[in-house]
Amino acid sequence: MIAQPGSSPLRAFLAARYGRGFATRNEIIAWQAAGLRKLRQKIMPRSPFYAAFATAPMADWPVMNKALLMQHFTGINTRGIHLDTAMEVALRSEESRDFAPMIGDVAVGLSTGTSGQRGLFLTNKRERALWAAVMCGRFWPSPLLSQQRIAFFLRANNALYESLSNPLMQFHFYDLLNPFEGNLAALDAQKPTVLIAPAQILGQIAKAQEAGQLRIAPRRIISVAEVLSPEDSAIIETVFGQRPEQVYQCTEGVLAYTCRHGSLHLNERYIHFDRDEIEGGNGAFCPVITDFTRQTLPILRYRLDDVLIPDPTPCPCGCASQRLLRIEGRADDMLWWPGADGRPRLVPADAIRQAVATLPVPVRDYRVIEEAGQLTVWLDTTIPEIAGPAMQQALHKVAAGLGCQPPAITVKRGLPPDEGAKRRRVLVKRG
Ligand SMILES: [Zn+2]
């Protein structure tokens, strides 16, 4: 007997903590069919925009993205909240940074993607409790009733995360817009048992600990909000003696998280994933998500720009939810090189990383920037005269392996001077 999706926070907590996940694909299909029925009966009729689609085949629902969701925001949400009202509340809170943005019991979240376009998201109390239940269920250290100090690094405060506070946890929010040194001092004083931060911040924290600026011993380290690179994962593991767990989430929902074996699985308990497969990407796809749990701002057939690489082999943990090899990043940040047949081929960031790893001289760090058909490779190394030609060769080998041609390559020493907040090792600049 399969319980109904959109279940209570307690059930969500128990499933995340003790559940083994779905044993078969058929179980997932049955569970999601029930979720979809509930969505059609209980949620869609309350949304002026979606009411007419409640009885239509899913394939007829419009494919959403951030721009469309903003355009129809007032009609899509089930609480009659006007876009302007929500935006005003979100911006006011962003400026003052001292109150949680709320409209009644609805929390307003603001996201700014790399495209610079603002996205607004709404969650009611139950949706926030469900999120907290999944996170705590999966990541709360044992024993269950032990007090925890949680450090959470984020770009802006959000009532979604404050819903976590309870007598068992001392919760400290670190604003990424504050100077990093100040955050480090507070972190050192807090001595967190659970450390949650974007991947690159975790990498910086690990480096600070290594340099003796910090003495913390978290029992759980969780990477959120951006791609965890193997480089950052390695330094975190070296310094703290544990592999970071990963939660792949955005304001649109918790899309995937690591199981006890360290594999990322799609969160198919709460979200149905359609795949917009990328040509020449060998199974790589952009997810089109339908979330069964969102009641305030329904997320239906919402296409994300992230490229996911599926792992077809079953996970030893026994959970049948789709396993991911990795999250490649945003489609806009991918390198595409022309193939022999004229069609572009996706060049994974991981292939570039491996090319750097095979260089005959040590490289501390690197950046690969593609702009106007030119590839500039920055290598932080003491022996550029050997590393440069070797890198050229390695990239040509990568291209040959993928059956494509690399653009003109220039190798420079050091790292580029003007890195923005979204520091990336592989970057595509579009005009
Ligand atoms: Zn697994």
Side-chain angles (χ1 to χ4, degrees):
M1 175 66 199
I2 288 174
Q4 288 288 305
S7 42
S8 70
L10 177 63
R11 271 206 202 145
F13 173 86
L14 294 173
R17 186 148 193 102
Y18 304 110
R20 299 195 153 270
F22 298 107
T24 63
R25 179 51 48 187
N26 279 343
E27 261 183 41
I28 297 174
I29 291 169
W31 173 274
Q32 294 199 345
L36 194 59
R37 273 197 300 277
K38 218 166 162 180
L39 202 59
R40 288 180 183 282
Q41 288 163 7
K42 302 225 160 104
I43 310 293
M44 293 174 80
R46 285 163 41 208
S47 158
F49 181 89
Y50 280 119
F53 293 103
T55 51
M58 205 173 170
D60 291 351
W61 302 356
V63 174
M64 275 290 145
N65 55 31
K66 197 190 267 182
L68 265 180
L69 185 65
M70 288 305 97
Q71 192 186 329
H72 299 287
F73 181 93
T74 309
I76 288 176
N77 81 79
T78 58
R79 300 288 291 270
I81 294 172
H82 198 280
L83 173 69
D84 296 344
T85 313
M87 187 60 89
E88 197 193 305
V89 168
L91 289 178
R92 198 145 39 89
S93 135
E94 180 102 328
E95 265 164 38
S96 65
R97 314 188 81 70
D98 60 2
F99 74 97
M102 301 288 287
I103 300 172
D105 72 327
V106 174
V108 184
L110 184 66
S111 77
T112 35
T114 40
S115 60
Q117 198 194 356
R118 286 196 177 111
L120 276 176
F121 294 90
L122 303 174
T123 47
N124 65 18
K125 213 170 161 189
R126 190 184 166 284
E127 290 166 289
R128 297 195 294 279
L130 194 66
W131 180 88
V134 172
M135 290 297 102
C136 290
R138 177 64 193 87
F139 296 114
W140 193 266
S142 295
L144 196 54
L145 295 178
S146 54
Q147 215 193 15
Q148 304 297 335
R149 295 180 299 279
I150 297 174
F152 201 153
F153 284 73
L154 263 185
R155 199 187 65 81
N157 205 349
N158 184 313
L160 177 62
Y161 304 111
E162 285 183 343
S163 67
L164 280 169
S165 293
N166 73 42
L168 272 178
M169 66 173 95
Q170 180 221 85
F171 185 82
H172 196 309
F173 161 73
Y174 297 84
D175 192 334
L176 286 175
L177 295 182
N178 291 342
F180 191 61
E181 289 67 34
N183 278 340
L184 273 189
L187 188 65
D188 200 35
Q190 190 201 3
K191 300 263 181 281
T193 55
V194 179
L195 173 60
I196 307 170
Q200 293 191 342
I201 299 297
L202 287 178
Q204 288 180 35
I205 291 170
K207 281 178 192 160
Q209 172 107 347
E210 201 178 30
Q213 296 165 268
L214 196 62
R215 262 173 228 87
I216 59 172
R219 295 172 59 198
R220 281 279 168 99
I221 300 177
I222 302 158
S223 157
V224 289
E226 58 185 48
V227 178
L228 174 67
S229 72
E231 294 93 338
D232 284 329
S233 183
I235 179 171
I236 294 160
E237 188 168 356
T238 308
V239 171
F240 293 111
Q242 60 183 294
R243 249 181 45 192
E245 315 253 15
Q246 271 189 86
V247 179
Y248 166 44
Q249 67 162 20
C250 43
T251 24
E252 293 87 349
V254 177
L255 304 183
Y257 51 89
T258 44
C259 68
R260 288 160 187 85
H261 280 267
S263 317
L264 267 171
H265 290 267
L266 290 181
N267 181 14
E268 296 190 273
R269 181 168 291 274
Y270 302 117
I271 297 171
H272 170 76
F273 291 81
D274 282 316
R275 300 181 188 199
D276 188 358
E277 282 209 23
I278 289 176
E279 204 186 342
N282 293 331
F285 66 94
C286 288
V288 182
I289 62 173
T290 296
D291 192 324
F292 304 124
T293 65
R294 303 293 283 249
Q295 303 175 327
T296 315
L297 185 69
I299 298 291
L300 308 180
R301 291 196 90 204
Y302 186 99
R303 187 187 183 280
L304 293 157
D305 281 333
D306 290 338
V307 175
L308 311 185
I309 316 284
D311 183 346
T313 55
C315 184
C317 78
C319 171
S321 293
Q322 176 67 52
R323 199 177 171 194
L324 296 179
L325 216 45
R326 61 180 183 276
I327 297 148
E328 184 66 32
R330 291 173 52 83
D332 281 354
D333 295 330
M334 308 283 108
L335 294 175
W336 292 95
W337 293 348
D341 54 5
R343 292 211 299 245
R345 294 273 191 291
L346 173 69
V347 183
D350 197 51
I352 305 281
R353 183 186 68 81
Q354 283 173 19
V356 174
T358 58
L359 294 179
V361 295
V363 173
R364 280 185 296 268
D365 210 345
Y366 67 94
R367 299 288 182 273
V368 174
I369 300 169
E370 192 176 87
E371 190 172 14
Q374 295 273 329
L375 198 72
T376 308
V377 181
W378 295 81
L379 294 175
D380 184 7
T381 173
T382 46
I383 322 173
E385 49 288 342
I386 296 178
M391 188 66 195
Q392 292 263 8
Q393 222 175 41
L395 287 177
H396 277 95
K397 211 169 141 193
V398 166
L402 294 166
C404 58
Q405 270 292 324
I409 302 168
T410 314
V411 181
K412 293 189 176 175
R413 182 181 182 175
L415 293 176
D418 56 338
E419 289 194 283
K422 295 236 170 194
R423 187 174 61 98
R424 287 204 185 83
R425 290 195 172 84
V426 177
L427 185 70
V428 179
K429 290 188 177 173
R430 293 173 209 277

